[in-house]
Amino acid sequence: MFDQYTLSNGLRLIGEKLDHVRSVSVGLWLGAGSQYEIPPEAGVSHFLEHMAFKGTQKRTARQIAEEMDAVGGQLNAFTSKECTCFYAKVVDADLPLAIDVLSDLVTAPKFDPVELEKEKGVVVEEIAMAEDSPEDVVHELIMLAHFGDQPVARPILGSEARVSAFTRDDLFAYWNHMYAPGNAVLALAGRYDWEQVVALAEKHLLSWDAGERYTRDTQTHAVSPARLWREKDVEQMNLCLGFPGVAIGDKRSYEFSVVNSVLGGSMSSRLFQKIREESGLAYSIYSYPNSYTDCGLTTVYAAARPESLKQVVEMTLKEVRALAETGMTRAEFAMARQQLKAGYILGQESTSARMNAAGRRLLLLNRTRSEEEVLRAIDGLTFEGANELAKELLSAEPSVALVGKGAEKALDDLNI
């Protein structure tokens, strides 16, 4: 069961108490991500996350790092398409410090002009590092091929040109719009005293300006699948095929995981067994599900030598079509459902995983789901339901992204 409370300024609190551990994971979640950016702001959510660690109104960047290191705690953050999370993991006795530091990062960033210019260089290097990875590039490209020029398809990191042009005013404008208590969740999992948690939240976050939440229409529309390519002087061809998926809150989300597991999400999957184990045509071959609040995507990735690419594509499409047309076997379904159940149970042993699940779900869907509810939902999956979803998703025409040397010509030669 979850502890829940809402401060008078609109900030939602959620906690899952675990008395058998001595640690606590805490995260401050914001509904701010690349999907909410307009083109001139591309990358600002991620850049703002970086800048929060460069100093606040009462702490320098060094003090932020040293205060958490002094107690052996972990402190970090990440930005995704739909949210930003600042999080810490500490021994239970140090929870007051963790909430203090996280609150400071989110509610009182300094955005020092000197640090801003230095951090631009750091993020530009991060963009360059991603560009040097053909696998990263093709995963970004398949989003654009599948969703077109819509917010969900835009890179979280933004572009070098946009990041280099950010000003202090740009950061404050976005921060004032998106970093508001009504657009945030404080989530915890581990050992804590709930009365203390509420008191700490009121001490550090009740004065957070409730402000008017700035919202934008982020509804993602279906578009015709595209075929995109990028030239890269690398030894392998990096391929992604994109098929429809399901949204986070879709009641079929667990069936989605089962379909992915059978297709290419595990070592026993059809793609891994046929293309890597039986044929030896690729080292890396897998599929994965992406789910957002209003859309989803099923992605198949493969990396192969240019001379093997056509055969890999033909075999991949054969397996995809077979799963769509004739469905999975009952043995495959049972194995995939058990993999899903075991993976969830094993993940529950991590306070960080529990905090992430509770915080993200409350922020994006405004609801919770207990461990018992999840396990009942997994146990309730049906063979027929999983096959119906496989047919619906995998019968669609795929979007295609290809990255490598001679990618344009290679894409023309493929029968996709």
Side-chain angles (χ1 to χ4, degrees), residues 13-59:
L13 278 59
I14 184 168
E16 187 174 15
K17 193 171 184 179
L18 306 168
D19 286 330
H20 63 279
V21 299
R22 287 297 309 276
S23 65
V24 59
S25 293
V26 54
L28 197 41
W29 295 77
L30 291 306
S34 57
Q35 190 164 348
Y36 305 112
E37 300 165 354
I38 57 177
E41 297 171 337
V44 70
S45 301
H46 173 257
F47 190 70
L48 194 158
E49 172 224 311
H50 271 242
M51 282 302 301
F53 286 89
K54 304 309 291 183
T56 69
Q57 298 301 325
K58 66 178 183 180
R59 289 180 171 93

Side-chain angles (χ1 to χ4, degrees), residues 300-378:
V300 175
Y301 169 80
R305 292 172 299 168
E307 60 268 27
S308 302
L309 179 64
K310 190 169 186 178
Q311 190 177 358
V312 168
V313 170
E314 289 173 350
M315 293 180 67
T316 297
L317 290 175
K318 181 180 178 181
E319 294 302 323
V320 169
R321 289 164 182 156
L323 186 53
E325 293 169 7
T326 61
M328 65 189 75
T329 66
R330 289 191 178 275
E332 286 177 319
F333 169 75
M335 183 184 297
R337 184 172 60 178
Q338 184 58 33
Q339 288 172 345
L340 177 61
K341 186 174 182 178
Y344 175 76
I345 292 171
L346 293 175
Q348 290 295 93
E349 296 186 2
S350 162
T351 59
S352 297
R354 284 178 178 259
M355 182 277 291
N356 283 332
R360 186 188 299 272
R361 190 171 183 84
L362 187 60
L363 178 74
L364 299 181
L365 300 177
N366 199 30
R367 59 180 184 262
T368 62
R369 202 165 203 184
S370 69
E371 181 176 343
E372 293 75 18
E373 288 175 308
V374 172
L375 293 176
R376 279 200 304 269
I378 295 174

Side-chain angles (χ1 to χ4, degrees), residues 28-263:
L28 197 41
W29 295 77
L30 291 306
S34 57
Q35 190 164 348
Y36 305 112
E37 300 165 354
I38 57 177
E41 297 171 337
V44 70
S45 301
H46 173 257
F47 190 70
L48 194 158
E49 172 224 311
H50 271 242
M51 282 302 301
F53 286 89
K54 304 309 291 183
T56 69
Q57 298 301 325
K58 66 178 183 180
R59 289 180 171 93
T60 65
R62 188 178 185 89
Q63 286 173 325
I64 293 168
E66 288 182 344
E67 285 189 34
M68 291 303 292
D69 283 352
V71 299
Q74 302 168 7
L75 178 68
N76 213 328
F78 65 82
T79 305
S80 68
K81 299 283 186 181
E82 298 184 293
C83 59
T84 301
C85 178
F86 295 83
Y87 61 92
K89 185 174 183 179
V90 293
V91 174
D92 56 345
D94 296 315
L95 178 60
L97 174 64
I99 292 180
D100 181 5
V101 172
L102 292 175
S103 302
D104 199 23
L105 292 173
V106 169
T107 67
K110 193 174 182 180
F111 300 149
D112 180 84
V114 175
E115 295 295 337
L116 187 146
E117 292 305 316
K118 289 194 293 186
E119 200 62 20
K120 285 181 181 180
V122 173
V123 175
V124 165
E125 288 297 329
E126 187 176 358
I127 293 171
M129 182 172 66
E131 184 65 26
D132 281 345
S133 167
E135 187 170 355
D136 287 352
V137 173
V138 79
H139 288 304
E140 290 286 359
L141 202 58
I142 195 62
M143 293 290 291
L144 187 60
H146 195 81
F147 293 112
D149 187 19
Q150 298 187 82
V152 72
R154 295 171 191 154
I156 294 168
L157 299 182
S159 67
E160 179 179 349
R162 286 307 315 149
V163 169
S164 298
F166 284 148
T167 66
R168 190 168 185 259
D169 287 343
D170 292 332
L171 296 189
F172 270 120
Y174 189 78
W175 178 76
N176 282 324
H177 285 316
M178 306 301 289
Y179 278 50
N183 193 30
V185 166
L186 180 69
L188 302 93
R191 182 184 286 245
Y192 61 76
D193 176 83
W194 187 243
E195 290 186 0
Q196 181 193 36
V197 170
V198 173
L200 289 168
E202 289 180 335
K203 176 181 178 181
H204 296 291
L205 293 163
L206 190 58
S207 61
W208 191 3
D209 183 8
E212 181 182 355
R213 179 180 175 183
Y214 189 67
T215 59
R216 291 178 176 140
D217 178 16
T218 58
Q219 184 176 357
T220 303
H221 306 282
V223 301
S224 298
R227 301 164 76 247
L228 301 179
W229 54 271
R230 283 275 301 277
E231 294 288 342
K232 282 282 182 186
D233 189 10
V234 292
E235 295 301 315
Q236 289 184 308
M237 287 293 185
N238 291 259
L239 170 80
C240 276
L241 303 177
F243 299 88
V246 302
I248 294 174
D250 195 299
K251 63 182 181 180
R252 304 168 299 171
S253 58
Y254 295 121
E255 281 94 342
F256 188 28
S257 295
V258 167
V259 171
N260 174 71
S261 182
V262 173
L263 177 62

